[in-house]
Amino acid sequence: MASLFLPFVLVVIISSTIISFAINPDYSNSKLQVTEQDLTQLCTRTQDPPYCTQILLSDNRTNSSDFRGLAQISIDIAESISTGALTMIGSLEAQATDPEIKDRYEKCSINYNALVGFLDGAKQKLSSADFDGVYNFGARGGVEASSCEARFDNSNPIFQMSHNLGTLTKFLSEIAIYLLAHKLH
């Protein structure tokens, strides 16, 4: 008899949780507007919460965005930074005279080209509400940003751009987890 009690209790708890998510408008409404508190809470899971919060709040779309829209905003910002970084990397590589430094820029260029591809993949997955895919592309983009960041010290502008992109891609992964957990399509 005791062996049937535990599975029964688990079924009741899981069912109650699912029902509460289904009837609670905070979890079932796909157009739930993001609050600054939501944004701050998600940003605390990144490596640079102040930057995360500041850069996302600097986009005027954030104030009226839902969670899915916020994921799109983070992709848009990351794409813009990536494009600028690729241009800067090309310029710095052309100016570099030290073969080791030139090689680092070349490898970062490869990282950033991959990152741009992953951001494009995340955008496509987001448009089809494939939040697992958004998470995976965000995480893979973060690896590329971290790889480039590790090649330079913090006096190099590419270091900071890579750090910022690592923060944004981590945020993208975190918001994808949030969207998955709350079934916000």
Side-chain angles (χ1 to χ4, degrees):
M1 183 73 175
S3 65
L4 293 177
F5 182 72
L6 184 59
F8 175 74
V9 169
L10 288 173
V11 167
V12 169
I13 291 171
I14 292 170
S15 298
S16 299
T17 303
I18 290 171
I19 290 170
S20 70
F21 282 154
I23 63 173
N24 185 342
D26 287 348
Y27 297 115
S28 63
N29 184 352
S30 66
K31 296 298 180 192
L32 183 66
Q33 187 170 344
V34 177
T35 66
E36 191 168 335
Q37 181 180 1
D38 295 325
L39 177 64
T40 302
Q41 183 178 9
L42 285 165
C43 282
T44 61
R45 299 179 188 145
T46 70
Q47 63 263 43
D48 193 345
Y51 171 78
C52 177
T53 304
Q54 177 269 321
I55 193 70
L56 290 165
L57 285 175
S58 72
D59 189 298
N60 60 6
R61 297 173 294 168
T62 299
N63 293 327
S64 60
S65 181
D66 61 7
F67 286 89
R68 199 167 165 183
L70 190 58
Q72 182 62 56
I73 292 166
S74 67
I75 292 169
D76 293 346
I77 294 169
E79 284 181 327
S80 176
I81 293 171
S82 296
T83 302
L86 270 169
T87 301
M88 183 181 285
I89 289 168
S91 175
L92 292 170
E93 183 181 359
Q95 295 170 11
T97 55
D98 181 338
E100 183 183 332
I101 299 295
K102 217 172 185 48
D103 184 58
R104 289 181 195 175
Y105 285 127
E106 184 179 326
K107 288 179 179 166
C108 275
S109 180
I110 293 166
N111 292 129
Y112 271 84
N113 279 308
L115 175 56
V116 168
F118 292 141
L119 290 170
D120 186 54
K123 186 187 295 186
Q124 291 175 21
K125 296 296 182 182
L126 182 62
S127 71
S128 64
D130 177 356
F131 303 127
D132 280 321
V134 173
Y135 173 83
N136 288 326
F137 279 117
R140 290 166 72 189
V143 168
E144 298 298 334
S146 294
S147 293
C148 187
E149 180 182 1
R151 290 190 176 90
F152 297 100
D153 64 27
N154 62 0
S155 67
N156 188 298
I158 299 303
F159 173 91
Q160 192 59 52
M161 288 179 144
S162 299
H163 178 79
N164 293 346
L165 280 163
T167 297
L168 284 167
T169 54
K170 175 65 174 164
F171 179 82
L172 180 59
S173 294
E174 289 298 328
I175 201 162
I177 291 169
Y178 182 89
L179 288 162
L180 280 166
H182 295 86
K183 307 280 190 247
L184 297 176
H185 301 289

